[in-house]
Amino acid sequence: MALSGRFLEECRRLAGPGRVLTGEAALTAYDSDALTHGHHRPEAVVLPGSVEELKAVLALARGEDAPVTLRGAGTGLSGGAAAAQGGLLVHCSRLRRILSIDPLNLVAEVEPGVVNAALNRALEPHGLFFPPDPSSGFASTLGGNVAENAGGIRCFKYGVTAAYVLGMEVVTPAGECATLGGPAGGLGPALGAPWKSLFVGSEGLLGAIVRLWLRLRPLPESHRTFLATFPDVGGATAAVVDLVHHPLTPVAVELMDPNCVRLVELSPFKAGLDPGSWALLAEIAGPAELVEAAAPSLEARLRRHGPGSLRSTGDPSERLRLWKARKVGGGLPGQVSPDVMVQDAVIPRTRLAEVLAEVARESEAEGIPVIHLFHAGDGNLHPNFMFDARVPGQAEAVRRLGRRLMEKVVAVGGTLTGEHGVGSDKMEYLPLLFGPAEMAAQSAVASAFNPEHRLNPGKLLPGRRFRPGRAGPGTAA
Ligand SMILES: Cc1cc2nc3c(=O)[nH]c(=O)nc-3n(C[C@H](O)[C@H](O)[C@H](O)COP(=O)(O)OP(=O)(O)OC[C@H]3O[C@@H](n4cnc5c(N)ncnc54)[C@H](O)[C@@H]3O)c2cc1C
């Protein structure tokens, strides 16, 4: 083991004996995030219980010259929270206090390990909510959401995580604290506030986020949810493009392909969707009278594109059932396939049908089934390629599909990630988008905060190669 006994002893003294994991079984649980086809085992996992402990651990890691990977809930889908070069993994799940809710100022102050859904449960009695809602929100942490600039179903109307970060406290790789923005950080030109933006979407490369001031919104008075089914991709995607122009701006515009609908309907979360059709789920929200007045014009937009069926509901339990079906849909491919590669990109909405048709053609030619469900209003694409890495040639076929998808995405004016980040998964595609000067500028920003490239090496940007032999026995390339 490359981490020294003295270093691990010091970590145990700081965090407590049960809070430093080095056993094979425990480390196995950390050898990937939710992108499970690569394995990168850390040499040790530490679970600090306070900011002071985390600071001291980072300072110790610097003395040890060890690579450090930060982890929230490990639900990321680009390999970001896996220890690509072994070393120390810092799991932030014990930093999970909601420090304050200020209903009058619409601000919550939280530690990074607070789970997204736990914050929303705490906000509900105040009549408030935190809008960004990744479908993993029942497990994913706010620190992980900010580090990935997470999106979600209702982000079409409300915007992604970046729009809700007022300020944060971070610990630098040298073990020092810095405050960027604050509770008023997003409300005016607050001194220092723009720096926080660098940390939103920084994928754990710049520093550890240890405290967040988040912007809240009042819960809407009323919702109406629409379910339309379409026999083909053309009608479904044309309806998406039409819906986003509705004057009430829908909260959500989501698509599931017929394969995804079939899986949902075979699961305990079936919601009466029509297997064999594309399902479009949309929602509007606001004052009850406004929502009811707007519903007919939204339905008219859906009808224009030849839906096989169309219904809407304002009933809270039916609405919950429909959204639950959509949210669990993301996890179902993994239950029926030995391996799944979820790709993630964003393209102009008007090119959705063309790119989806190309993905269908190419995956059929490679003999790799694909399932789609995605935040269509945002122009996101999430093909789930289903394969079995034990079958010779399948992993390579999926890699080819991923590369061709990214080439197409860039060719139609899109970009390499809609919300899952670059992590270790997408680094090879960066040259499709950035030239040497752009790469150098981005690397210079990372180096300013993380000069020794200690934090999350092997992710997002090319960085340092720590001495070989660090990675544990479960490691694959
Ligand atoms: C079923 C499913 C559905 C999903 N749906 C969505 C969706 O709708 N929208 C979406 O955007 N994503 C979605 N995701 C992806 C994932 O849940 C998000 O990226 C989420 O934000 C990750 O949070 P996490 O706490 O699990 O972070 P992790 O996976 O643990 O870490 C993610 C990144 O954040 C860094 N990090 C973690 N904590 C800190 C910290 N305290 N300081 C600095 N860096 C840190 C890590 O180093 C890593 O680079 C989904 C994933 C799954 C499995």
Side-chain angles (χ1 to χ4, degrees):
M1 178 172 292
L3 292 174
S4 70
R6 222 181 95 229
F7 170 78
L8 294 172
E9 262 324 298
E10 279 295 299
C11 287
R12 283 190 190 99
R13 194 184 54 74
L14 281 168
R19 309 299 188 186
V20 179
L21 312 176
T22 52
E24 275 305 295
L27 295 184
T28 302
Y30 289 95
D31 75 0
S32 77
D33 59 6
L35 189 78
T36 51
H37 62 262
H39 299 280
H40 304 276
R41 193 164 303 173
E43 292 156 54
V45 175
V46 62
L47 293 100
S50 68
V51 176
E52 285 310 309
E53 284 178 20
L54 191 146
K55 268 173 72 176
V57 165
L58 288 190
L60 273 180
R62 191 178 183 207
E64 181 78 0
D65 196 25
V68 174
T69 304
L70 296 155
R71 187 171 176 108
T75 68
L77 283 165
S78 54
Q85 296 193 39
L88 186 69
L89 191 140
V90 178
H91 190 181
C92 301
S93 62
R94 289 178 69 214
L95 304 177
R96 56 166 180 262
R97 286 178 305 161
I98 296 176
L99 299 167
S100 67
I101 293 172
D102 178 349
L104 289 183
N105 284 309
L106 297 173
V107 177
E109 184 182 351
V110 301
E111 291 188 323
V114 171
V115 167
N116 182 300
L119 175 62
N120 275 312
R121 275 196 301 277
L123 294 175
E124 205 175 336
H126 299 280
L128 301 174
F129 76 121
F130 177 66
D133 62 337
S135 301
S136 55
F138 58 89
S140 66
T141 66
L142 293 160
N145 294 169
V146 172
E148 294 289 355
N149 194 11
I153 286 173
R154 56 190 176 211
C155 291
F156 176 67
K157 179 172 184 126
Y158 297 117
V160 296
T161 304
Y164 294 89
V165 180
L166 296 171
M168 63 176 77
E169 191 177 312
V170 299
V171 176
T172 67
E176 286 155 5
C177 267
T179 303
L180 312 169
L187 303 177
L191 195 63
W195 292 106
K196 75 187 181 216
S197 309
L198 289 175
F199 275 73
V200 180
S202 62
E203 300 193 18
L205 253 71
L206 303 188
I209 298 162
V210 293
R211 182 189 301 247
L212 286 161
W213 288 278
L214 299 173
R215 183 204 299 270
L216 311 173
R217 287 183 77 120
L219 277 166
E221 184 186 42
S222 172
H223 295 86
R224 181 157 284 275
T225 307
F226 302 81
L227 169 63
T229 62
F230 291 89
D232 56 48
V233 63
T237 53
V240 168
V241 175
D242 202 345
L243 279 196
V244 302
H245 293 98
H246 190 274
L248 196 52
T249 307
V251 171
V253 183
E254 295 284 316
L255 277 183
M256 288 186 262
D257 78 358
N259 291 331
C260 179
V261 169
R262 261 191 295 277
L263 276 189
V264 168
E265 288 304 306
L266 287 169
S267 82
F269 302 99
K270 63 182 178 189
L273 309 180
D274 175 15
S277 294
W278 285 76
L280 188 158
L281 271 170
E283 185 161 276
I284 48 176
E289 280 181 13
L290 187 58
V291 167
E292 289 320 303
S297 59
L298 194 131
E299 286 188 0
R301 283 175 189 257
L302 286 167
R303 275 208 192 86
R304 285 209 276 256
H305 305 283
S309 65
L310 172 58
R311 62 186 159 101
S312 78
T313 179
D315 174 55
S317 58
E318 177 61 2
R319 182 180 159 248
L320 208 67
R321 200 161 78 100
L322 288 171
W323 287 119
K324 184 92 186 166
R326 162 60 187 89
K327 289 199 171 187
V328 299
L332 294 177
Q335 298 198 9
V336 296
S337 176
D339 295 286
V340 177
M341 171 67 192
V342 189
Q343 270 300 355
D344 156 57
V346 59
I347 58 172
R349 277 173 228 106
T350 47
R351 310 299 289 269
L352 277 171
E354 167 195 343
V355 176
L356 286 166
E358 185 152 327
V359 173
R361 265 194 311 277
E362 292 191 345
S363 58
E364 198 182 332
E366 293 279 12
I368 302 288
V370 62
I371 291 184
H372 297 277
L373 71 167
F374 50 104
H375 312 310
D378 285 314
N380 283 7
L381 268 185
H382 296 315
N384 288 250
F385 296 110
M386 325 260 282
F387 70 108
D388 185 344
R390 295 164 304 183
V391 176
Q394 289 209 349
E396 292 72 21
V398 168
R399 259 199 292 278
R400 281 194 296 276
L401 286 168
R403 171 159 281 276
R404 286 204 292 270
L405 174 70
M406 290 303 150
E407 286 167 354
K408 178 75 181 169
V409 158
V410 172
V412 301
T415 194
L416 304 175
T417 166
E419 52 179 20
H420 296 166
V422 172
S424 52
D425 185 46
K426 297 248 183 76
M427 284 177 67
E428 63 177 294
Y429 305 130
L430 293 176
L432 293 175
L433 209 58
F434 302 120
E438 290 147 326
M439 290 299 291
Q442 293 177 77
S443 295
V445 172
S447 299
F449 288 91
N450 185 16
E452 294 164 332
H453 298 267
R454 179 173 317 295
L455 287 187
N456 231 352
K459 318 285 172 60
L460 182 58
L461 293 166
R464 174 175 166 195
R465 185 80 218 156
F466 277 76
R467 62 181 183 272
R470 277 206 162 274
T475 301

